[in-house]
PDB file of all heavy atoms in Angstrom:
ATOM      1  N   ASP A   1     -28.282  -5.480 -44.484  1.00 98.00           N
ATOM      2  CA  ASP A   1     -28.544  -6.527 -45.520  1.00 98.00           C
ATOM      3  C   ASP A   1     -28.447  -5.914 -46.893  1.00 98.00           C
ATOM      4  O   ASP A   1     -28.071  -6.593 -47.842  1.00 98.00           O
ATOM      5  CB  ASP A   1     -29.898  -7.208 -45.271  1.00 98.00           C
ATOM      6  CG  ASP A   1     -29.972  -7.875 -43.911  1.00 98.00           C
ATOM      7  OD1 ASP A   1     -29.186  -8.810 -43.689  1.00 98.00           O
ATOM      8  OD2 ASP A   1     -30.854  -7.501 -43.081  1.00 98.00           O
ATOM      9  N   PHE A   2     -28.869  -4.706 -47.010  1.00 99.00           N
ATOM     10  CA  PHE A   2     -28.858  -3.940 -48.331  1.00 99.00           C
ATOM     11  C   PHE A   2     -28.351  -2.511 -48.096  1.00 99.00           C
ATOM     12  O   PHE A   2     -28.755  -1.899 -47.083  1.00 99.00           O
ATOM     13  CB  PHE A   2     -30.212  -3.902 -48.953  1.00 99.00           C
ATOM     14  CG  PHE A   2     -30.707  -5.284 -49.367  1.00 99.00           C
ATOM     15  CD1 PHE A   2     -31.426  -6.066 -48.447  1.00 99.00           C
ATOM     16  CD2 PHE A   2     -30.508  -5.767 -50.641  1.00 99.00           C
ATOM     17  CE1 PHE A   2     -31.912  -7.317 -48.847  1.00 99.00           C
ATOM     18  CE2 PHE A   2     -30.947  -7.054 -51.037  1.00 99.00           C
ATOM     19  CZ  PHE A   2     -31.679  -7.770 -50.097  1.00 99.00           C
ATOM     20  N   VAL A   3     -27.508  -2.050 -48.993  1.00 99.00           N
ATOM     21  CA  VAL A   3     -27.036  -0.689 -48.966  1.00 99.00           C
ATOM     22  C   VAL A   3     -27.385  -0.028 -50.243  1.00 99.00           C
ATOM     23  O   VAL A   3     -26.997  -0.425 -51.309  1.00 99.00           O
ATOM     24  CB  VAL A   3     -25.500  -0.605 -48.792  1.00 99.00           C
ATOM     25  CG1 VAL A   3     -25.101   0.842 -48.782  1.00 99.00           C
ATOM     26  CG2 VAL A   3     -25.068  -1.261 -47.390  1.00 99.00           C
ATOM     27  N   TYR A   4     -28.200   1.036 -50.123  1.00 99.00           N
ATOM     28  CA  TYR A   4     -28.688   1.762 -51.279  1.00 99.00           C
ATOM     29  C   TYR A   4     -28.005   3.138 -51.268  1.00 99.00           C
ATOM     30  O   TYR A   4     -28.278   3.997 -50.367  1.00 99.00           O
ATOM     31  CB  TYR A   4     -30.236   1.987 -51.202  1.00 99.00           C
ATOM     32  CG  TYR A   4     -30.857   2.340 -52.543  1.00 99.00           C
ATOM     33  CD1 TYR A   4     -31.503   1.380 -53.347  1.00 99.00           C
ATOM     34  CD2 TYR A   4     -30.812   3.657 -52.981  1.00 99.00           C
ATOM     35  CE1 TYR A   4     -32.061   1.761 -54.527  1.00 99.00           C
ATOM     36  CE2 TYR A   4     -31.395   4.032 -54.203  1.00 99.00           C
ATOM     37  CZ  TYR A   4     -32.049   3.045 -54.949  1.00 99.00           C
ATOM     38  OH  TYR A   4     -32.652   3.464 -56.151  1.00 99.00           O
ATOM     39  N   ALA A   5     -27.099   3.370 -52.167  1.00 98.00           N
ATOM     40  CA  ALA A   5     -26.353   4.659 -52.211  1.00 98.00           C
ATOM     41  C   ALA A   5     -27.033   5.615 -53.178  1.00 98.00           C
ATOM     42  O   ALA A   5     -27.444   5.246 -54.267  1.00 98.00           O
ATOM     43  CB  ALA A   5     -24.910   4.396 -52.600  1.00 98.00           C
ATOM     44  N   LYS A   6     -27.083   6.892 -52.803  1.00 98.00           N
ATOM     45  CA  LYS A   6     -27.656   7.894 -53.715  1.00 98.00           C
ATOM     46  C   LYS A   6     -27.239   9.310 -53.234  1.00 98.00           C
ATOM     47  O   LYS A   6     -27.242   9.542 -52.043  1.00 98.00           O
ATOM     48  CB  LYS A   6     -29.216   7.821 -53.727  1.00 98.00           C
ATOM     49  CG  LYS A   6     -29.855   8.705 -54.744  1.00 98.00           C
ATOM     50  CD  LYS A   6     -29.564   8.308 -56.201  1.00 98.00           C
ATOM     51  CE  LYS A   6     -30.225   9.212 -57.157  1.00 98.00           C
ATOM     52  NZ  LYS A   6     -29.411  10.468 -57.376  1.00 98.00           N
ATOM     53  N   ASN A   7     -26.884  10.070 -54.149  1.00 98.00           N
ATOM     54  CA  ASN A   7     -26.618  11.526 -53.789  1.00 98.00           C
ATOM     55  C   ASN A   7     -27.929  12.293 -53.935  1.00 98.00           C
ATOM     56  O   ASN A   7     -28.824  11.941 -54.679  1.00 98.00           O
ATOM     57  CB  ASN A   7     -25.621  12.146 -54.775  1.00 98.00           C
ATOM     58  CG  ASN A   7     -25.424  13.597 -54.509  1.00 98.00           C
ATOM     59  OD1 ASN A   7     -26.135  14.448 -55.085  1.00 98.00           O
ATOM     60  ND2 ASN A   7     -24.553  13.975 -53.605  1.00 98.00           N
ATOM     61  N   TRP A   8     -28.098  13.309 -53.102  1.00 98.00           N
ATOM     62  CA  TRP A   8     -29.166  14.274 -53.249  1.00 98.00           C
ATOM     63  C   TRP A   8     -28.635  15.632 -52.766  1.00 98.00           C
ATOM     64  O   TRP A   8     -27.690  15.671 -51.957  1.00 98.00           O
ATOM     65  CB  TRP A   8     -30.430  13.888 -52.578  1.00 98.00           C
ATOM     66  CG  TRP A   8     -30.378  13.622 -51.057  1.00 98.00           C
ATOM     67  CD1 TRP A   8     -30.611  14.588 -50.071  1.00 98.00           C
ATOM     68  CD2 TRP A   8     -30.085  12.419 -50.343  1.00 98.00           C
ATOM     69  NE1 TRP A   8     -30.486  14.000 -48.841  1.00 98.00           N
ATOM     70  CE2 TRP A   8     -30.250  12.667 -48.989  1.00 98.00           C
ATOM     71  CE3 TRP A   8     -29.835  11.068 -50.815  1.00 98.00           C
ATOM     72  CZ2 TRP A   8     -29.993  11.636 -48.005  1.00 98.00           C
ATOM     73  CZ3 TRP A   8     -29.656  10.117 -49.850  1.00 98.00           C
ATOM     74  CH2 TRP A   8     -29.740  10.396 -48.434  1.00 98.00           C
ATOM     75  N   SER A   9     -29.158  16.737 -53.284  1.00 96.00           N
ATOM     76  CA  SER A   9     -28.721  18.009 -52.923  1.00 96.00           C
ATOM     77  C   SER A   9     -29.159  18.401 -51.525  1.00 96.00           C
ATOM     78  O   SER A   9     -30.062  17.800 -50.954  1.00 96.00           O
ATOM     79  CB  SER A   9     -29.245  19.067 -53.929  1.00 96.00           C
ATOM     80  OG  SER A   9     -30.666  19.087 -53.927  1.00 96.00           O
ATOM     81  N   SER A  10     -28.571  19.359 -50.985  1.00 97.00           N
ATOM     82  CA  SER A  10     -28.812  19.812 -49.595  1.00 97.00           C
ATOM     83  C   SER A  10     -30.347  20.148 -49.459  1.00 97.00           C
ATOM     84  O   SER A  10     -30.957  20.681 -50.355  1.00 97.00           O
ATOM     85  CB  SER A  10     -27.999  21.039 -49.254  1.00 97.00           C
ATOM     86  OG  SER A  10     -28.372  21.559 -47.953  1.00 97.00           O
ATOM     87  N   THR A  11     -30.861  19.825 -48.280  1.00 94.00           N
ATOM     88  CA  THR A  11     -32.246  20.156 -48.035  1.00 94.00           C
ATOM     89  C   THR A  11     -32.365  21.430 -47.189  1.00 94.00           C
ATOM     90  O   THR A  11     -33.334  22.155 -47.287  1.00 94.00           O
ATOM     91  CB  THR A  11     -32.936  19.030 -47.212  1.00 94.00           C
ATOM     92  OG1 THR A  11     -32.075  18.702 -46.083  1.00 94.00           O
ATOM     93  CG2 THR A  11     -33.144  17.834 -48.094  1.00 94.00           C
ATOM     94  N   THR A  12     -31.315  21.837 -46.499  1.00 95.00           N
ATOM     95  CA  THR A  12     -31.362  23.030 -45.725  1.00 95.00           C
ATOM     96  C   THR A  12     -30.912  24.245 -46.609  1.00 95.00           C
ATOM     97  O   THR A  12     -31.429  25.357 -46.446  1.00 95.00           O
ATOM     98  CB  THR A  12     -30.372  23.003 -44.550  1.00 95.00           C
ATOM     99  OG1 THR A  12     -29.091  22.606 -44.922  1.00 95.00           O
ATOM    100  CG2 THR A  12     -30.926  21.970 -43.467  1.00 95.00           C
ATOM    101  N   GLU A  13     -30.012  24.011 -47.532  1.00 96.00           N
ATOM    102  CA  GLU A  13     -29.620  25.015 -48.554  1.00 96.00           C
ATOM    103  C   GLU A  13     -30.047  24.425 -49.865  1.00 96.00           C
ATOM    104  O   GLU A  13     -29.228  23.880 -50.638  1.00 96.00           O
ATOM    105  CB  GLU A  13     -28.212  25.299 -48.506  1.00 96.00           C
ATOM    106  CG  GLU A  13     -27.695  25.996 -47.197  1.00 96.00           C
ATOM    107  CD  GLU A  13     -26.274  26.397 -47.218  1.00 96.00           C
ATOM    108  OE1 GLU A  13     -25.834  27.089 -48.165  1.00 96.00           O
ATOM    109  OE2 GLU A  13     -25.537  26.028 -46.225  1.00 96.00           O
ATOM    110  N   TYR A  14     -31.365  24.504 -50.158  1.00 97.00           N
ATOM    111  CA  TYR A  14     -31.966  23.737 -51.205  1.00 97.00           C
ATOM    112  C   TYR A  14     -31.272  23.841 -52.534  1.00 97.00           C
ATOM    113  O   TYR A  14     -31.002  24.965 -53.035  1.00 97.00           O
ATOM    114  CB  TYR A  14     -33.423  24.103 -51.351  1.00 97.00           C
ATOM    115  CG  TYR A  14     -34.193  23.296 -52.360  1.00 97.00           C
ATOM    116  CD1 TYR A  14     -34.465  21.919 -52.100  1.00 97.00           C
ATOM    117  CD2 TYR A  14     -34.564  23.818 -53.547  1.00 97.00           C
ATOM    118  CE1 TYR A  14     -35.133  21.143 -53.004  1.00 97.00           C
ATOM    119  CE2 TYR A  14     -35.262  22.995 -54.476  1.00 97.00           C
ATOM    120  CZ  TYR A  14     -35.532  21.708 -54.220  1.00 97.00           C
ATOM    121  OH  TYR A  14     -36.182  20.912 -55.149  1.00 97.00           O
ATOM    122  N   GLY A  15     -30.991  22.652 -53.169  1.00 95.00           N
ATOM    123  CA  GLY A  15     -30.443  22.667 -54.535  1.00 95.00           C
ATOM    124  C   GLY A  15     -28.933  22.904 -54.588  1.00 95.00           C
ATOM    125  O   GLY A  15     -28.401  23.065 -55.643  1.00 95.00           O
ATOM    126  N   LYS A  16     -28.322  22.960 -53.414  1.00 96.00           N
ATOM    127  CA  LYS A  16     -26.861  23.276 -53.386  1.00 96.00           C
ATOM    128  C   LYS A  16     -26.061  22.074 -52.939  1.00 96.00           C
ATOM    129  O   LYS A  16     -26.521  21.201 -52.249  1.00 96.00           O
ATOM    130  CB  LYS A  16     -26.566  24.494 -52.510  1.00 96.00           C
ATOM    131  CG  LYS A  16     -27.212  25.756 -53.013  1.00 96.00           C
ATOM    132  CD  LYS A  16     -26.857  26.922 -52.081  1.00 96.00           C
ATOM    133  CE  LYS A  16     -27.433  28.236 -52.602  1.00 96.00           C
ATOM    134  NZ  LYS A  16     -27.133  29.407 -51.699  1.00 96.00           N
ATOM    135  N   VAL A  17     -24.751  22.054 -53.325  1.00 96.00           N
ATOM    136  CA  VAL A  17     -23.804  21.125 -52.776  1.00 96.00           C
ATOM    137  C   VAL A  17     -23.059  21.741 -51.629  1.00 96.00           C
ATOM    138  O   VAL A  17     -22.206  22.601 -51.823  1.00 96.00           O
ATOM    139  CB  VAL A  17     -22.801  20.699 -53.906  1.00 96.00           C
ATOM    140  CG1 VAL A  17     -21.742  19.692 -53.323  1.00 96.00           C
ATOM    141  CG2 VAL A  17     -23.562  20.031 -55.073  1.00 96.00           C
ATOM    142  N   VAL A  18     -23.408  21.351 -50.448  1.00 95.00           N
ATOM    143  CA  VAL A  18     -22.717  21.955 -49.265  1.00 95.00           C
ATOM    144  C   VAL A  18     -21.764  20.987 -48.595  1.00 95.00           C
ATOM    145  O   VAL A  18     -20.990  21.380 -47.752  1.00 95.00           O
ATOM    146  CB  VAL A  18     -23.776  22.491 -48.247  1.00 95.00           C
ATOM    147  CG1 VAL A  18     -24.613  23.579 -48.814  1.00 95.00           C
ATOM    148  CG2 VAL A  18     -24.642  21.295 -47.714  1.00 95.00           C
ATOM    149  N   CYS A  19     -21.803  19.718 -48.962  1.00 96.00           N
ATOM    150  CA  CYS A  19     -20.851  18.721 -48.420  1.00 96.00           C
ATOM    151  C   CYS A  19     -20.063  18.109 -49.573  1.00 96.00           C
ATOM    152  O   CYS A  19     -20.702  17.634 -50.551  1.00 96.00           O
ATOM    153  CB  CYS A  19     -21.625  17.647 -47.643  1.00 96.00           C
ATOM    154  SG  CYS A  19     -20.525  16.394 -47.049  1.00 96.00           S
ATOM    155  N   LYS A  20     -18.784  18.169 -49.509  1.00 94.00           N
ATOM    156  CA  LYS A  20     -17.894  17.530 -50.463  1.00 94.00           C
ATOM    157  C   LYS A  20     -16.993  16.556 -49.874  1.00 94.00           C
ATOM    158  O   LYS A  20     -15.869  16.269 -50.288  1.00 94.00           O
ATOM    159  CB  LYS A  20     -17.082  18.632 -51.174  1.00 94.00           C
ATOM    160  CG  LYS A  20     -17.994  19.637 -51.984  1.00 94.00           C
ATOM    161  CD  LYS A  20     -17.162  20.678 -52.684  1.00 94.00           C
ATOM    162  CE  LYS A  20     -18.024  21.650 -53.432  1.00 94.00           C
ATOM    163  NZ  LYS A  20     -17.284  22.695 -54.194  1.00 94.00           N
ATOM    164  N   ASP A  21     -17.468  15.874 -48.803  1.00 97.00           N
ATOM    165  CA  ASP A  21     -16.697  14.949 -48.019  1.00 97.00           C
ATOM    166  C   ASP A  21     -16.655  13.605 -48.763  1.00 97.00           C
ATOM    167  O   ASP A  21     -17.621  12.878 -48.692  1.00 97.00           O
ATOM    168  CB  ASP A  21     -17.285  14.804 -46.646  1.00 97.00           C
ATOM    169  CG  ASP A  21     -16.486  13.902 -45.690  1.00 97.00           C
ATOM    170  OD1 ASP A  21     -15.512  13.303 -46.173  1.00 97.00           O
ATOM    171  OD2 ASP A  21     -16.886  13.764 -44.518  1.00 97.00           O
ATOM    172  N   ASN A  22     -15.513  13.251 -49.320  1.00 97.00           N
ATOM    173  CA  ASN A  22     -15.403  12.014 -50.131  1.00 97.00           C
ATOM    174  C   ASN A  22     -15.349  10.796 -49.254  1.00 97.00           C
ATOM    175  O   ASN A  22     -15.464   9.672 -49.787  1.00 97.00           O
ATOM    176  CB  ASN A  22     -14.142  12.111 -50.996  1.00 97.00           C
ATOM    177  CG  ASN A  22     -14.230  13.128 -52.100  1.00 97.00           C
ATOM    178  OD1 ASN A  22     -15.347  13.388 -52.582  1.00 97.00           O
ATOM    179  ND2 ASN A  22     -13.162  13.688 -52.482  1.00 97.00           N
ATOM    180  N   SER A  23     -15.332  11.001 -47.929  1.00 98.00           N
ATOM    181  CA  SER A  23     -15.324   9.779 -47.037  1.00 98.00           C
ATOM    182  C   SER A  23     -16.697   9.141 -47.050  1.00 98.00           C
ATOM    183  O   SER A  23     -16.799   7.997 -46.543  1.00 98.00           O
ATOM    184  CB  SER A  23     -14.860  10.149 -45.660  1.00 98.00           C
ATOM    185  OG  SER A  23     -15.915  10.901 -45.004  1.00 98.00           O
ATOM    186  N   TRP A  24     -17.729   9.781 -47.619  1.00 98.00           N
ATOM    187  CA  TRP A  24     -19.050   9.134 -47.694  1.00 98.00           C
ATOM    188  C   TRP A  24     -19.119   8.175 -48.882  1.00 98.00           C
ATOM    189  O   TRP A  24     -20.139   7.514 -49.027  1.00 98.00           O
ATOM    190  CB  TRP A  24     -20.084  10.264 -47.801  1.00 98.00           C
ATOM    191  CG  TRP A  24     -20.411  10.872 -46.488  1.00 98.00           C
ATOM    192  CD1 TRP A  24     -19.763  11.843 -45.870  1.00 98.00           C
ATOM    193  CD2 TRP A  24     -21.497  10.508 -45.639  1.00 98.00           C
ATOM    194  NE1 TRP A  24     -20.333  12.188 -44.633  1.00 98.00           N
ATOM    195  CE2 TRP A  24     -21.446  11.376 -44.453  1.00 98.00           C
ATOM    196  CE3 TRP A  24     -22.557   9.544 -45.722  1.00 98.00           C
ATOM    197  CZ2 TRP A  24     -22.369  11.284 -43.436  1.00 98.00           C
ATOM    198  CZ3 TRP A  24     -23.491   9.529 -44.649  1.00 98.00           C
ATOM    199  CH2 TRP A  24     -23.407  10.338 -43.579  1.00 98.00           C
ATOM    200  N   GLN A  25     -18.159   8.141 -49.708  1.00 98.00           N
ATOM    201  CA  GLN A  25     -18.173   7.161 -50.862  1.00 98.00           C
ATOM    202  C   GLN A  25     -18.291   5.769 -50.275  1.00 98.00           C
ATOM    203  O   GLN A  25     -17.651   5.426 -49.262  1.00 98.00           O
ATOM    204  CB  GLN A  25     -16.875   7.310 -51.665  1.00 98.00           C
ATOM    205  CG  GLN A  25     -16.819   6.276 -52.811  1.00 98.00           C
ATOM    206  CD  GLN A  25     -15.463   6.323 -53.540  1.00 98.00           C
ATOM    207  OE1 GLN A  25     -14.935   5.280 -54.048  1.00 98.00           O
ATOM    208  NE2 GLN A  25     -14.825   7.494 -53.612  1.00 98.00           N
ATOM    209  N   VAL A  26     -19.077   4.910 -50.950  1.00 98.00           N
ATOM    210  CA  VAL A  26     -19.234   3.552 -50.527  1.00 98.00           C
ATOM    211  C   VAL A  26     -18.109   2.725 -51.079  1.00 98.00           C
ATOM    212  O   VAL A  26     -17.961   2.602 -52.311  1.00 98.00           O
ATOM    213  CB  VAL A  26     -20.587   2.948 -50.896  1.00 98.00           C
ATOM    214  CG1 VAL A  26     -20.743   1.524 -50.474  1.00 98.00           C
ATOM    215  CG2 VAL A  26     -21.742   3.790 -50.384  1.00 98.00           C
ATOM    216  N   THR A  27     -17.273   2.241 -50.187  1.00 98.00           N
ATOM    217  CA  THR A  27     -16.055   1.463 -50.541  1.00 98.00           C
ATOM    218  C   THR A  27     -16.236  -0.011 -50.062  1.00 98.00           C
ATOM    219  O   THR A  27     -17.165  -0.311 -49.310  1.00 98.00           O
ATOM    220  CB  THR A  27     -14.843   2.106 -49.898  1.00 98.00           C
ATOM    221  OG1 THR A  27     -14.973   2.044 -48.495  1.00 98.00           O
ATOM    222  CG2 THR A  27     -14.699   3.527 -50.449  1.00 98.00           C
ATOM    223  N   GLU A  28     -15.249  -0.785 -50.425  1.00 98.00           N
ATOM    224  CA  GLU A  28     -15.228  -2.154 -49.958  1.00 98.00           C
ATOM    225  C   GLU A  28     -15.089  -2.210 -48.393  1.00 98.00           C
ATOM    226  O   GLU A  28     -15.631  -3.104 -47.722  1.00 98.00           O
ATOM    227  CB  GLU A  28     -14.060  -2.947 -50.583  1.00 98.00           C
ATOM    228  CG  GLU A  28     -14.307  -3.186 -52.120  1.00 98.00           C
ATOM    229  CD  GLU A  28     -13.075  -3.613 -52.805  1.00 98.00           C
ATOM    230  OE1 GLU A  28     -12.242  -2.760 -53.127  1.00 98.00           O
ATOM    231  OE2 GLU A  28     -12.914  -4.839 -53.135  1.00 98.00           O
ATOM    232  N   GLU A  29     -14.327  -1.278 -47.859  1.00 98.00           N
ATOM    233  CA  GLU A  29     -14.180  -1.159 -46.426  1.00 98.00           C
ATOM    234  C   GLU A  29     -15.500  -0.917 -45.730  1.00 98.00           C
ATOM    235  O   GLU A  29     -15.830  -1.375 -44.680  1.00 98.00           O
ATOM    236  CB  GLU A  29     -13.129  -0.095 -46.026  1.00 98.00           C
ATOM    237  CG  GLU A  29     -11.713  -0.480 -46.423  1.00 98.00           C
ATOM    238  CD  GLU A  29     -11.455  -0.310 -47.949  1.00 98.00           C
ATOM    239  OE1 GLU A  29     -12.191   0.318 -48.616  1.00 98.00           O
ATOM    240  OE2 GLU A  29     -10.455  -1.034 -48.406  1.00 98.00           O
ATOM    241  N   LYS A  30     -16.243   0.054 -46.345  1.00 98.00           N
ATOM    242  CA  LYS A  30     -17.625   0.316 -45.812  1.00 98.00           C
ATOM    243  C   LYS A  30     -18.562  -0.821 -45.882  1.00 98.00           C
ATOM    244  O   LYS A  30     -19.260  -1.107 -44.931  1.00 98.00           O
ATOM    245  CB  LYS A  30     -18.197   1.524 -46.579  1.00 98.00           C
ATOM    246  CG  LYS A  30     -17.414   2.880 -46.406  1.00 98.00           C
ATOM    247  CD  LYS A  30     -17.686   3.489 -45.055  1.00 98.00           C
ATOM    248  CE  LYS A  30     -16.940   4.786 -44.844  1.00 98.00           C
ATOM    249  NZ  LYS A  30     -17.489   5.899 -45.627  1.00 98.00           N
ATOM    250  N   MET A  31     -18.495  -1.561 -47.021  1.00 98.00           N
ATOM    251  CA  MET A  31     -19.395  -2.686 -47.142  1.00 98.00           C
ATOM    252  C   MET A  31     -19.012  -3.847 -46.241  1.00 98.00           C
ATOM    253  O   MET A  31     -19.849  -4.666 -45.871  1.00 98.00           O
ATOM    254  CB  MET A  31     -19.349  -3.214 -48.610  1.00 98.00           C
ATOM    255  CG  MET A  31     -20.015  -2.250 -49.655  1.00 98.00           C
ATOM    256  SD  MET A  31     -21.742  -1.933 -49.341  1.00 98.00           S
ATOM    257  CE  MET A  31     -22.451  -3.533 -49.607  1.00 98.00           C
ATOM    258  N   ALA A  32     -17.734  -3.871 -45.765  1.00 98.00           N
ATOM    259  CA  ALA A  32     -17.304  -4.908 -44.842  1.00 98.00           C
ATOM    260  C   ALA A  32     -17.970  -4.748 -43.457  1.00 98.00           C
ATOM    261  O   ALA A  32     -17.945  -5.699 -42.657  1.00 98.00           O
ATOM    262  CB  ALA A  32     -15.771  -4.826 -44.645  1.00 98.00           C
ATOM    263  N   LEU A  33     -18.557  -3.598 -43.211  1.00 98.00           N
ATOM    264  CA  LEU A  33     -19.289  -3.344 -41.937  1.00 98.00           C
ATOM    265  C   LEU A  33     -20.641  -4.001 -41.966  1.00 98.00           C
ATOM    266  O   LEU A  33     -21.309  -4.158 -40.885  1.00 98.00           O
ATOM    267  CB  LEU A  33     -19.490  -1.823 -41.725  1.00 98.00           C
ATOM    268  CG  LEU A  33     -18.185  -0.995 -41.542  1.00 98.00           C
ATOM    269  CD1 LEU A  33     -18.514   0.494 -41.536  1.00 98.00           C
ATOM    270  CD2 LEU A  33     -17.424  -1.379 -40.317  1.00 98.00           C
ATOM    271  N   THR A  34     -21.126  -4.413 -43.124  1.00 98.00           N
ATOM    272  CA  THR A  34     -22.506  -4.823 -43.246  1.00 98.00           C
ATOM    273  C   THR A  34     -22.553  -6.377 -43.011  1.00 98.00           C
ATOM    274  O   THR A  34     -21.546  -7.082 -42.802  1.00 98.00           O
ATOM    275  CB  THR A  34     -23.004  -4.616 -44.708  1.00 98.00           C
ATOM    276  OG1 THR A  34     -22.378  -5.465 -45.624  1.00 98.00           O
ATOM    277  CG2 THR A  34     -22.799  -3.135 -45.087  1.00 98.00           C
ATOM    278  N   ASN A  35     -23.798  -6.910 -43.074  1.00 98.00           N
ATOM    279  CA  ASN A  35     -24.037  -8.343 -42.924  1.00 98.00           C
ATOM    280  C   ASN A  35     -23.958  -8.985 -44.315  1.00 98.00           C
ATOM    281  O   ASN A  35     -24.972  -9.481 -44.851  1.00 98.00           O
ATOM    282  CB  ASN A  35     -25.422  -8.558 -42.287  1.00 98.00           C
ATOM    283  CG  ASN A  35     -25.757 -10.011 -42.172  1.00 98.00           C
ATOM    284  OD1 ASN A  35     -24.891 -10.875 -41.972  1.00 98.00           O
ATOM    285  ND2 ASN A  35     -27.016 -10.325 -42.224  1.00 98.00           N
ATOM    286  N   ASN A  36     -22.686  -8.954 -44.893  1.00 98.00           N
ATOM    287  CA  ASN A  36     -22.521  -9.433 -46.247  1.00 98.00           C
ATOM    288  C   ASN A  36     -23.563  -8.762 -47.169  1.00 98.00           C
ATOM    289  O   ASN A  36     -24.178  -9.415 -48.027  1.00 98.00           O
ATOM    290  CB  ASN A  36     -22.681 -10.965 -46.349  1.00 98.00           C
ATOM    291  CG  ASN A  36     -22.197 -11.477 -47.664  1.00 98.00           C
ATOM    292  OD1 ASN A  36     -21.210 -11.006 -48.285  1.00 98.00           O
ATOM    293  ND2 ASN A  36     -22.780 -12.620 -48.135  1.00 98.00           N
ATOM    294  N   GLY A  37     -23.711  -7.433 -47.002  1.00 98.00           N
ATOM    295  CA  GLY A  37     -24.746  -6.688 -47.591  1.00 98.00           C
ATOM    296  C   GLY A  37     -24.647  -6.587 -49.143  1.00 98.00           C
ATOM    297  O   GLY A  37     -23.610  -6.612 -49.732  1.00 98.00           O
ATOM    298  N   LYS A  38     -25.827  -6.500 -49.697  1.00 98.00           N
ATOM    299  CA  LYS A  38     -25.922  -6.287 -51.170  1.00 98.00           C
ATOM    300  C   LYS A  38     -25.915  -4.760 -51.466  1.00 98.00           C
ATOM    301  O   LYS A  38     -26.568  -3.997 -50.745  1.00 98.00           O
ATOM    302  CB  LYS A  38     -27.209  -6.897 -51.699  1.00 98.00           C
ATOM    303  CG  LYS A  38     -27.414  -8.385 -51.384  1.00 98.00           C
ATOM    304  CD  LYS A  38     -26.428  -9.284 -52.158  1.00 98.00           C
ATOM    305  CE  LYS A  38     -26.718 -10.729 -51.915  1.00 98.00           C
ATOM    306  NZ  LYS A  38     -25.801 -11.638 -52.706  1.00 98.00           N
ATOM    307  N   PHE A  39     -25.267  -4.407 -52.563  1.00 99.00           N
ATOM    308  CA  PHE A  39     -25.174  -2.995 -52.917  1.00 99.00           C
ATOM    309  C   PHE A  39     -26.130  -2.619 -53.994  1.00 99.00           C
ATOM    310  O   PHE A  39     -26.276  -3.407 -54.954  1.00 99.00           O
ATOM    311  CB  PHE A  39     -23.765  -2.594 -53.344  1.00 99.00           C
ATOM    312  CG  PHE A  39     -23.672  -1.156 -53.785  1.00 99.00           C
ATOM    313  CD1 PHE A  39     -23.469  -0.169 -52.803  1.00 99.00           C
ATOM    314  CD2 PHE A  39     -23.755  -0.787 -55.119  1.00 99.00           C
ATOM    315  CE1 PHE A  39     -23.395   1.177 -53.234  1.00 99.00           C
ATOM    316  CE2 PHE A  39     -23.646   0.516 -55.517  1.00 99.00           C
ATOM    317  CZ  PHE A  39     -23.482   1.492 -54.536  1.00 99.00           C
ATOM    318  N   MET A  40     -26.885  -1.498 -53.834  1.00 99.00           N
ATOM    319  CA  MET A  40     -27.889  -1.065 -54.826  1.00 99.00           C
ATOM    320  C   MET A  40     -27.672   0.403 -55.188  1.00 99.00           C
ATOM    321  O   MET A  40     -27.235   1.237 -54.354  1.00 99.00           O
ATOM    322  CB  MET A  40     -29.280  -1.285 -54.292  1.00 99.00           C
ATOM    323  CG  MET A  40     -29.574  -2.737 -53.940  1.00 99.00           C
ATOM    324  SD  MET A  40     -31.198  -2.952 -53.192  1.00 99.00           S
ATOM    325  CE  MET A  40     -32.284  -2.567 -54.565  1.00 99.00           C
ATOM    326  N   HIS A  41     -28.010   0.727 -56.456  1.00 98.00           N
ATOM    327  CA  HIS A  41     -28.006   2.092 -56.901  1.00 98.00           C
ATOM    328  C   HIS A  41     -28.898   2.104 -58.164  1.00 98.00           C
ATOM    329  O   HIS A  41     -28.937   1.217 -58.892  1.00 98.00           O
ATOM    330  CB  HIS A  41     -26.583   2.541 -57.239  1.00 98.00           C
ATOM    331  CG  HIS A  41     -26.503   4.061 -57.545  1.00 98.00           C
ATOM    332  ND1 HIS A  41     -26.860   4.579 -58.796  1.00 98.00           N
ATOM    333  CD2 HIS A  41     -26.109   5.066 -56.772  1.00 98.00           C
ATOM    334  CE1 HIS A  41     -26.675   5.862 -58.766  1.00 98.00           C
ATOM    335  NE2 HIS A  41     -26.236   6.224 -57.537  1.00 98.00           N
TER     336      HIS A  41
END
């Protein structure tokens, strides 16, 4: 019903960017999976 997107740094390698996978970006295709979900940030 609601999608809250937020980046945060790695917890296992604290304070570092260990994932650069752009497929995690929230897109219209991703939102289409939801129940007409509302987007928040």
Side-chain angles (χ1 to χ4, degrees):
D1 298 299
F2 294 88
V3 176
Y4 197 102
K6 186 70 180 78
N7 175 268
W8 59 91
S9 61
S10 173
T11 49
T12 54
E13 297 185 49
Y14 184 70
K16 295 182 179 179
V17 178
V18 297
C19 179
K20 299 181 180 180
D21 184 354
N22 291 329
S23 71
W24 281 83
Q25 179 185 146
V26 181
T27 61
E28 292 166 281
E29 291 74 22
K30 294 285 180 73
M31 291 300 294
L33 299 171
T34 71
N35 180 30
N36 195 32
K38 305 289 187 180
F39 178 82
M40 301 176 67
H41 189 279

